[in-house]
Amino acid sequence: MARDEPLYKSLIRDTTGYFAYLLLAAVLGPFQFGYHLSELNAPQDVITCKKKLSQQSALPASLPQCISMNTVQFSVVTSIFTLGGLLGALAAGPSCNRYGRLLTMRLTTVSFVIGSAVETLAPNIALLAVGRLVAGLGCGAAIVVVPIYIAEVAPPKEKGLFGAFTQISINIGILAAQLLGYFLSRGNLWRIILAVSGGIGVLHLAGLSLVPESPRWLAEHRSPQDARRILRKIRGHDADVDAEVKAWNIDADADDISEEESLLTAPPGSHPDPNPKAASAAINLWEAIKHPAYQPAIIAVVGVMFAQQLTGMNSIVMYSVSLLSTLLPTTASLLIVAVSALNLIVTVVCAPLSDKIGRKACILLSIAGMGTCAVLLALGLLFGIKILAAVATLAFVASFAAGLGPVPFILANELVGPEAVGATQSAGLAANWIATFLVSQFFPIVDKALGGQGKVYFIFAGFAVLFGAFIAWWVPETKGKSGVEEVWGRKEARERIE
């Protein structure tokens, strides 16, 4: 591709219908994450019996219209989702390395269906929390394995763009939950909001039956020849895949394989027998943490993931309706729908940005915007300036969507070799879930302890400064680098020695 070739031309050339289907099937996992993250936001007052608008019924009359909860109990139900996510993230790394990306994605759908069913039919706090926990397991695993899968099937020159689809799908999930919440937060219709993700989980599982294993994983763990055939199908039968296959550093020469043999290969989703000549053994999380070669990458990914959450975005996603309802009693719910839509639009528009200006620059600009907007939001809420609070909320979300939302999911695949991607992604997403838990559990408590009025956003602004300095100092730029050695400067150091 020429350096000045328009993006749309490269996308038309590099993207096939089959790849588009694989992308759509994969990102339903992160969609579930976004959906479950925000499903309790809009109907919070109805679920917790603070508001009873009608006796409308969507489910059997034996189910209570609401489940009485105080602030602490609701915080526990909300945040237990992140505990499931943490466990899922820790399990997904070893699973996707040992058993493959595809099987791990399929297992997440089972969690979505079971968790949603338990939530929907929950008659009390305990079962509602159990459903959230089970759904969290699948969500935690999904946001580990899906970015890895996308990175391994996406056209090499558009990895940043397609890597952003993880965050785009999360934002679509958030928007879907907020929209349903806006219309169904009455009676016990809120249970429909919880049931929808279970139906999507069933469709997701069916869709994955037509999805093949990642070619790169197959090349390293099973059959390089089958991996090459699948890659050619993804890129188009006339595409030249030699450069990608060479980058695997595996003997995958399959030019002598006839078209008839290709037609007789295993169907999508099946695994050939293990390859005894696998290029490298997968590194587990503990081995990666102990190994000096992987430690800088793990620190970088963990730090960026903490930054993604501790700068306050999920306080908007999870608690914005109750946060803004005092200042904007009649428009808070509608504003949050607008916020969710803006989050999606900016993420889509800015998706190519990391390929143009670089991953690191994207994140730093994003954090700077969020820190500034957090201060403005705090001032707007503190002094009762409605227009300032509304604009600051929108700008805060737009800043997040431009960089800190999508880019962290790309980094693990670019900071370590393929043998440690699963472990590094697990470490990063475990940190992400821990930080999400801290925000979801303690945001309402800290906000109340500080007297409300948005003072907690001064804390988020402080975190933005702290993490901005860390990323500027520690995290390397990966855009335009040919491999891990060049990203960390080891290639140049070796050449100087030689």
Side-chain angles (χ1 to χ4, degrees):
M1 179 174 74
R3 291 178 63 89
D4 58 351
E5 182 180 14
L7 177 62
Y8 74 91
K9 288 188 177 180
S10 67
L11 287 177
I12 291 172
R13 187 191 65 243
D14 295 342
T15 305
T16 63
Y18 187 54
F19 168 72
Y21 174 79
L22 302 187
L23 183 66
L24 176 62
V27 298
L28 283 177
F31 170 92
Q32 293 273 16
F33 168 62
Y35 190 93
H36 283 286
L37 196 65
S38 59
E39 64 187 354
L40 303 184
N41 185 8
Q44 175 180 345
D45 287 348
V46 176
I47 294 173
T48 58
C49 302
K50 292 180 180 177
K51 184 187 296 183
K52 292 188 179 182
L53 297 179
S54 72
Q55 295 298 318
Q56 288 176 286
S57 178
L59 291 165
S62 59
L63 292 174
Q65 182 179 350
C66 61
I67 302 172
S68 182
M69 286 180 268
N70 59 34
T71 300
V72 174
Q73 289 170 325
F74 186 77
S75 296
V76 171
V77 170
T78 300
S79 62
I80 201 169
F81 168 72
T82 65
L83 175 60
L86 172 60
L87 298 175
L90 290 173
S95 173
C96 72
N97 278 336
R98 183 168 183 177
Y99 302 110
R101 309 344 183 181
L102 180 59
L103 179 59
T104 304
M105 286 195 292
R106 287 175 174 173
L107 290 174
T108 66
T109 65
V110 177
S111 176
F112 299 146
V113 173
I114 294 175
S116 297
V118 174
E119 284 185 75
T120 302
L121 301 175
N124 52 47
I125 296 174
L127 280 180
L128 184 60
V130 168
R132 295 272 294 168
L133 178 69
V134 173
L137 288 170
C139 292
I143 60 170
V144 170
V145 66
V146 170
I148 295 174
Y149 184 82
I150 291 175
E152 292 176 347
V153 300
K157 293 179 181 178
E158 289 90 27
K159 284 186 185 294
L161 171 64
F162 289 113
F165 273 71
T166 296
Q167 186 64 32
I168 289 171
S169 61
I170 291 173
N171 292 341
I172 293 174
I174 292 171
L175 177 59
Q178 301 286 20
L179 276 173
L180 287 177
Y182 182 74
F183 292 106
L184 299 177
S185 295
R186 58 183 183 274
N188 72 352
L189 294 180
W190 57 269
R191 293 183 184 272
I192 294 177
I193 303 172
L194 308 184
V196 164
S197 69
I200 294 173
V202 173
L203 294 176
H204 189 192
L205 181 59
L208 288 175
S209 66
L210 301 177
V211 171
E213 181 54 84
S214 154
R216 181 153 193 167
W217 187 89
L218 271 182
E220 294 176 352
H221 297 83
R222 295 290 189 267
S223 167
Q225 289 76 24
D226 285 327
R228 185 186 181 104
R229 281 193 293 268
I230 290 172
L231 181 63
R232 183 174 284 124
K233 184 177 180 181
I234 295 172
R235 298 285 176 263
H237 291 291
D238 296 329
D240 183 2
V241 298
D242 289 343
E244 281 190 76
V245 172
K246 185 178 180 182
W248 295 342
N249 294 319
I250 296 169
D251 181 13
D253 186 8
D255 289 340
D256 59 335
I257 299 175
S258 68
E259 183 67 21
E260 289 79 11
E261 287 177 302
S262 260
L263 295 174
L264 294 174
T265 57
S270 63
H271 282 174
D273 292 333
N275 175 20
K277 298 180 180 179
S280 59
I283 302 294
N284 64 41
L285 179 57
W286 182 239
E287 290 171 336
I289 290 173
K290 292 192 300 180
H291 201 298
Y294 304 123
Q295 287 169 356
I298 290 176
I299 293 171
V301 172
V302 167
V304 172
M305 287 297 185
F306 268 124
Q308 189 189 59
Q309 298 305 322
L310 294 182
T311 45
M313 178 60 188
N314 276 335
S315 68
I316 301 292
V317 172
M318 293 178 172
Y319 297 110
S320 50
V321 172
S322 60
L323 176 73
L324 297 172
S325 59
T326 302
L327 186 61
L328 303 166
T330 60
T331 58
S333 295
L334 190 58
L335 175 63
I336 299 313
V337 173
V339 163
S340 300
L342 178 67
N343 192 11
L344 172 61
I345 292 168
V346 175
T347 303
V348 172
V349 171
C350 293
L353 195 60
S354 67
D355 284 330
K356 291 184 178 296
I357 69 172
R359 307 346 181 190
K360 184 173 180 177
C362 247
I363 293 175
L364 289 175
L365 286 173
S366 179
I367 288 180
M370 291 181 72
T372 302
C373 293
V375 172
L376 294 177
L377 177 56
L379 293 174
L381 292 172
L382 183 61
F383 294 106
I385 308 172
K386 295 182 180 181
I387 186 64
L388 178 60
V391 171
T393 300
L394 293 170
F396 181 87
V397 171
S399 298
F400 175 84
L404 198 54
V407 176
F409 296 108
I410 304 170
L411 287 180
N413 209 66
E414 298 180 337
L415 292 176
V416 294
E419 74 285 353
V421 167
T424 305
Q425 191 82 311
S426 281
L429 270 300
N432 189 292
W433 282 104
I434 291 170
T436 302
F437 169 80
L438 293 174
V439 173
S440 61
Q441 176 65 41
F442 295 108
F443 173 80
I445 297 171
V446 173
D447 183 51
K448 185 177 180 180
L450 293 176
Q453 298 181 305
K455 295 173 187 175
V456 67
Y457 282 93
F458 289 121
I459 297 176
F460 289 135
F463 276 126
V465 172
L466 178 66
F467 284 112
F470 165 77
I471 291 167
W473 167 58
W474 186 268
V475 180
E477 180 56 72
T478 61
K479 174 183 175 288
K481 303 297 176 64
S482 60
V484 175
E485 297 291 319
E486 187 177 352
V487 166
W488 292 104
R490 297 169 193 152
K491 183 177 180 180
E492 292 81 351
R494 187 180 298 109
E495 289 172 351
R496 285 196 297 270
I497 293 173
E498 293 173 351

